[in-house]
Amino acid sequence: MPALTDFKGATHLYKDVARKIEKIHLIFEAAGINKDDKIALCGRNNANWAISFFAIVSYGAIAVPILHDFKPDNIHHIIKHSDAKLLFAGSNVWENLNESLMQNLNAVLSLEDFELFLSRSEKINYTREHLNELFGKKFPNRFTESDVNYFKDKEEKLTLINYTSGSTGFSKGVMLSNKNIWSNIQFCLDHLNFLLPGDKTISMLPMAHMYGLAVEVIHPFCKGCHIHFLTRTPSPKIIMDAFSQIQPKLIVAVPLIIEKIIKTKVFPLLDKPLVKLMLHVPFVDQQLFGKIKAKLQDTFGGNLHEMIIGGAAINKDVEQFLRKIDFPYTVGYGMTECAPLISYEECKKSKLYSCGKAVERMQIKIDSKDPQNIAGEIYVKGDNVMLGYYKNEEATNLVIKEDGWMNTGDMGVIDENGYLYIKGRSKNMILGPSGQNIYPEEIEDQLNNMPYVAEAIIVEQGGKLVALVYPDFENADKEGIPHETISLKMDENRALLNHQLPSYSQISQIKIRYEEFEKTPKRSIKRYLYQ
């Protein structure tokens, strides 16, 4: 059966993946790789990235996925800090790296074709040049499933070190064990049971991020699904093209993708006078919503059973609309430190604005005198919680208490049925003039829905709240609005927004930016750069 396909490129059957894993193991042996040695991966998503990852963990080595968006100096630092002995790199990453700054590496292999970019051993050179011959000697009769015999170890064995994407500015190595990853995958196997062997899925999120790696790659691979990799930056055009051709049954996405589609294709349609009128006519409104839902389903390939949205908060207006048309979406919550799942609920049982209930083998508690009504810091405990931060006991002790409860750094409330509602990051919370808790994310959610606002963040400057806004210049151009008058539109937005906000969280000023905010690969704005 087909296992991994590069979109508009080669397909690897499951047996091809098994053969390649064995060949990579021969290279590991030649490179003197022992169990528990670290092997880094850095490049765009493709089938060979997944094959390399499976080869690392099945050998008993420790995988160190690195986001290809990281700057070269950060990649050099992670390779050195993690003690990696080998690196699998995409050519676009390798051309910007300096091998003299990575003396701990024995070799660097290409993620395009597994050729050697760098070798510091004749044995590695010989093995790579004679790989097929050596494979033939190891399996002289033929390679069968009885030859597939992978490394097994204790639950607590370190399997992966994932360096966080750094929306708070510091990249820490999250140590994840066999048990952490198993618990996540087992939950997906048990609860996303609509996904069957042979079903098609798309890997859009970076595999160097746990959300993409666990839910989009390892989980469907364990089910015998056919995974497609976009292999390039997922622009809206590429994504739409992939959806129509692949027709995925499951889509795992960050909010930005669905928000962009709804805001550009659906909301302008609903603003037309005739459509507005029709939405007030009983039965007609339901027919209209039915047609919009069908069109949206077609946009995603026409075969979608569930879309899981995570990685950041979804815009409330967009979510309300998806709920109104009965679109099969659900919002989950997690973090790298939990490999990544904390909460989820299937779309039919999900609640508006909630990110579900604690996944199996995990507990959630809110540090608040009234957890159902007053937001407090979210603590989690269970099999998904990391071993700690690599070589950073101080940072580990700051988040994981002696009793095993981990502080997520997020604020939330939890209802009587166990549904979790996120209010924002505790470090982003701003204290109002009389001690009120102001969650900037909630104000941003309203501001992002206003005319000509592409994206915005709320910051505190001189004791007052200021909105930094990157305007929607594209839409302004379409409507013939000169860029120099955008500030007047923003003043109107501010007046309207303040009318909706309590007095202690009023916006004193909107400052216009002329370039997009810098973001993490998860598409979260790097707030610390703008405080």
Side-chain angles (χ1 to χ4, degrees), residues 307-365:
M307 176 183 283
I308 304 174
I309 299 167
I314 183 168
N315 179 278
K316 285 186 175 173
D317 280 11
V318 171
E319 189 180 357
Q320 265 183 345
F321 175 75
L322 292 174
R323 175 79 40 165
K324 198 175 276 184
I325 65 169
D326 195 27
F327 189 76
Y329 83 98
T330 187
V331 178
Y333 167 59
M335 59 195 300
T336 306
E337 287 83 346
C338 291
L341 298 179
I342 293 173
S343 67
Y344 163 88
E345 185 56 276
E346 63 174 283
C347 58
K348 289 186 177 72
K349 295 179 185 173
S350 65
K351 285 189 178 181
L352 187 64
Y353 308 142
S354 169
C355 48
K357 297 194 272 193
V359 299
E360 276 157 22
R361 298 171 290 280
M362 286 290 280
Q363 297 169 259
I364 298 172
K365 73 174 181 181

Side-chain angles (χ1 to χ4, degrees), residues 70-363:
F70 278 169
K71 301 280 190 290
D73 56 349
N74 206 351
I75 296 171
H76 293 142
H77 165 73
I78 290 170
I79 286 167
K80 189 176 178 183
H81 184 266
S82 67
D83 310 303
K85 290 195 173 175
L86 283 180
L87 168 65
F88 289 91
S91 53
N92 59 326
V93 170
W94 175 246
E95 65 190 20
N96 295 310
L97 297 182
N98 183 342
E99 61 195 72
S100 66
L101 299 176
M102 301 179 290
Q103 291 296 333
N104 48 320
L105 291 178
N106 296 344
V108 180
L109 290 112
S110 161
L111 278 172
E112 279 78 41
D113 54 14
F114 297 120
E115 289 299 327
L116 288 166
F117 281 140
L118 168 74
S119 169
R120 292 188 167 123
S121 148
E122 274 309 311
K123 192 173 182 184
I124 297 171
N125 289 337
Y126 179 86
T127 301
R128 183 62 193 90
E129 284 169 20
H130 300 85
L131 200 51
N132 289 336
E133 182 189 327
L134 293 168
F135 179 80
K137 282 181 181 173
K138 187 172 181 181
F139 304 103
N141 300 322
R142 59 188 270 272
F143 181 67
T144 67
E145 65 182 271
S146 62
D147 294 309
V148 175
N149 184 23
Y150 293 151
F151 178 81
K152 293 177 179 66
D153 204 342
K154 298 180 181 69
E155 286 185 346
E156 293 301 329
K157 179 197 178 296
L158 175 60
T159 305
L160 188 150
I161 304 175
N162 200 190
Y163 284 80
T164 57
S165 55
S167 53
T168 54
F170 302 100
S171 192
K172 297 188 286 285
V174 175
M175 295 191 291
L176 298 172
S177 68
N178 276 331
K179 182 166 74 171
N180 298 150
I181 298 168
W182 165 81
S183 179
N184 273 269
I185 304 309
Q186 191 62 50
F187 181 84
C188 292
L189 295 176
D190 292 341
H191 293 274
L192 305 180
N193 48 17
F194 57 85
L195 205 59
L196 304 171
D199 280 345
K200 295 174 182 178
T201 64
I202 300 178
S203 167
M204 288 190 292
L205 302 175
M207 279 190 280
H209 199 281
M210 278 313 300
Y211 183 30
L213 181 60
V215 186
E216 270 189 324
V217 179
I218 307 176
H219 145 242
F221 188 81
C222 287
K223 279 183 172 162
C225 296
H226 183 186
I227 306 164
H228 295 73
F229 300 94
L230 295 184
T231 73
R232 65 201 96 167
T233 304
S235 70
K237 188 181 182 307
I238 290 167
I239 291 170
M240 293 302 108
D241 189 18
F243 285 152
S244 66
Q245 288 193 41
I246 297 161
Q247 301 178 317
K249 205 173 186 181
L250 168 72
I251 292 175
V252 180
V254 292
L256 199 75
I257 292 168
I258 182 101
E259 285 174 4
K260 205 156 193 171
I261 291 165
I262 301 286
K263 283 181 177 180
T264 57
K265 294 193 171 184
V266 180
F267 282 176
L269 176 73
L270 298 180
D271 271 343
K272 290 183 176 178
L274 181 62
V275 176
K276 273 185 175 176
L277 192 67
M278 289 165 71
L279 289 175
H280 286 94
V281 181
F283 304 115
V284 174
D285 61 341
Q286 292 308 310
Q287 283 184 310
L288 190 59
F289 284 141
K291 284 184 178 177
I292 292 170
K293 180 185 175 181
K295 195 166 176 53
L296 207 52
Q297 280 275 24
D298 286 344
T299 302
F300 293 111
N303 190 37
L304 180 66
H305 184 93
E306 182 169 279
M307 176 183 283
I308 304 174
I309 299 167
I314 183 168
N315 179 278
K316 285 186 175 173
D317 280 11
V318 171
E319 189 180 357
Q320 265 183 345
F321 175 75
L322 292 174
R323 175 79 40 165
K324 198 175 276 184
I325 65 169
D326 195 27
F327 189 76
Y329 83 98
T330 187
V331 178
Y333 167 59
M335 59 195 300
T336 306
E337 287 83 346
C338 291
L341 298 179
I342 293 173
S343 67
Y344 163 88
E345 185 56 276
E346 63 174 283
C347 58
K348 289 186 177 72
K349 295 179 185 173
S350 65
K351 285 189 178 181
L352 187 64
Y353 308 142
S354 169
C355 48
K357 297 194 272 193
V359 299
E360 276 157 22
R361 298 171 290 280
M362 286 290 280
Q363 297 169 259

